[in-house]
Amino acid sequence: MISEEARAHEQRLRERRENPPEPPEGMDPVAAARLANDMFGSWATDPGVERREVSAGGTRAIWVDVAGSRPDRVLLYFHGGGYMIGSADHVVPMLGHIAGAGGCRALSVDYRLAPEHPFPAAVDDAVAAYRWLLDEGIQAASIVIAGDSAGGGIALAAQLALRENGQPLPGGSLPISPWADLRCAAPSWTTNAGSDMILSKQRLSDLAELYLQGSDATEPLASPLLGDFRGLPPMYVQAAGGETLLDDCLAVTALAARAGLEARLDVFAGMQHVFQYCAGNMPEADDAVARIGAWLQARWAGR
């Protein structure tokens, strides 16, 4: 039985899917999609964060601090949006809740978006932000690299790039509903099509094409599910039971386990894609954030 708040959230999403906002006349479709996303706003309550903009390796980013934040423990975060929409600002309220639960600070990265900046621009920006943290004196073991949806894919791909370049790897990885295979071919794209109020196979396939712009979808930095996870740090994956990306989440966790990683997966039945964005407004989101906080605290224990 899901909460009334979760049912209300699903209904809002259903109404938006069935009655999408009309774009302003003459506006470019990409700009219209970004405007619609911004107008929908954040679903999380703002727990009272301190935010400060920085340039993280040449990329705009936002430090998110709350009471009790440890400056030497960092959640490096990449927002979702299919590589085309979203921003570092949009996830700040949610990151405030996660930082409070995990006793850390968060760095939300405004990586470059497609179609203006196609693959691998987003991964390059992620790697640059991570290296910037190291240059700032943050220990690799005290960084957890994270993201949701496309941002979860970026978090995974960045680790593959860091390992191939001989860089020290982070202390953990937190992909939330990661989009890890840009081929969009898993069964849940069909079986969960009726329950996912946010994503569709056609929509994500179109976004993949905009992001790849001719690059091969089987390239591991584009589809990290097709990469080699050996040597990566412990991983915690969260997924919604009704989302079309469920099989990506299951496959990522299975691949991590086969590679010998300490891998954990929590699937929240009846939830929508990245429901964690509702932290402070939905008990299921608060439960998910509390689990993330406990996992982060365990990762940093003794450091």
Side-chain angles (χ1 to χ4, degrees), residues 6 9 13 20 35 46 56 86 105 116 122 143-144 156-157 195 197-199 223 248 285 289 291:
H9 175 61
L13 294 174
L35 177 62
D46 188 337
R105 64 195 316 212
E116 299 93 335
I143 301 171
V144 168
L156 294 169
S195 56
M197 297 294 115
I198 298 178
L199 304 180
S223 296
D248 277 36
V289 166
R291 297 189 201 188

Side-chain angles (χ1 to χ4, degrees), residues 8-303:
H9 175 61
E10 180 177 330
Q11 182 59 31
R12 286 194 299 270
L13 294 174
R14 185 185 303 275
E15 291 171 357
R16 186 174 75 155
R17 186 178 72 171
E18 295 175 352
N19 300 285
E22 288 290 333
E25 185 175 354
M27 179 174 281
D28 173 84
V30 172
R34 291 171 179 166
L35 177 62
N37 183 73
D38 291 343
M39 289 175 62
F40 202 64
S42 175
W43 304 320
T45 59
D46 188 337
V49 303
E50 293 184 11
R51 49 175 290 162
R52 178 169 62 90
E53 291 192 17
V54 293
S55 175
T59 300
R60 176 182 177 268
I62 302 172
W63 275 120
V64 179
D65 288 282
V66 298
S69 293
R70 283 274 299 265
D72 57 337
R73 297 175 176 176
V74 176
L75 183 75
L76 178 60
Y77 200 87
F78 306 101
H79 66 83
Y83 296 99
M84 189 190 79
I85 63 175
S87 72
D89 304 82
H90 191 70
V91 296
V92 166
M94 178 184 70
L95 291 181
H97 289 275
I98 293 176
C104 63
R105 64 195 316 212
L107 184 69
S108 182
V109 179
D110 236 351
Y111 57 88
R112 289 170 291 170
L113 298 175
E116 299 93 335
H117 304 285
F119 170 81
V123 179
D124 290 344
D125 289 350
V127 170
Y130 179 84
R131 289 175 172 167
W132 178 80
L133 285 175
L134 297 181
D135 291 342
E136 289 290 297
I138 306 297
Q139 297 297 309
S142 295
I143 301 171
V144 168
I145 192 166
D148 65 85
S149 199
I154 292 170
L156 294 169
Q159 292 174 82
L160 299 179
L162 289 166
R163 185 191 60 197
E164 293 308 306
N165 291 329
Q167 298 289 315
L169 293 175
S173 170
L174 176 66
I176 298 173
S177 296
W179 185 19
D181 187 351
L182 269 60
R183 298 173 300 175
C184 303
S188 60
W189 283 104
T190 301
T191 56
N192 282 354
S195 56
D196 191 326
M197 297 294 115
I198 298 178
L199 304 180
S200 70
K201 181 174 182 178
Q202 185 59 58
R203 177 61 171 159
L204 267 290
S205 296
D206 291 344
L207 289 171
E209 186 176 342
L210 280 174
Y211 176 54
L212 292 170
Q213 293 190 29
S215 295
D216 191 345
T218 64
E219 159 64 46
L221 294 189
S223 296
L225 184 56
L226 306 179
D228 181 355
F229 283 9
R230 286 178 293 182
L232 298 188
M235 183 182 299
Y236 177 30
V237 182
Q238 287 192 344
E243 66 177 321
T244 50
L245 281 173
L246 178 60
D247 281 347
D248 277 36
C249 302
L250 298 174
V252 162
T253 311
L255 180 61
R258 290 197 299 271
L261 277 61
E262 177 188 330
R264 170 181 167 184
L265 168 68
D266 282 345
V267 178
F268 295 80
M271 293 295 101
Q272 291 294 313
H273 179 61
V274 199
F275 66 97
Q276 294 86 350
Y277 274 67
C278 296
N281 281 320
M282 181 194 297
E284 291 90 346
D286 293 341
D287 176 35
V289 166
R291 297 189 201 188
I292 289 171
W295 186 83
L296 290 173
Q297 296 276 11
R299 292 267 60 75
W300 287 316
R303 295 196 181 102

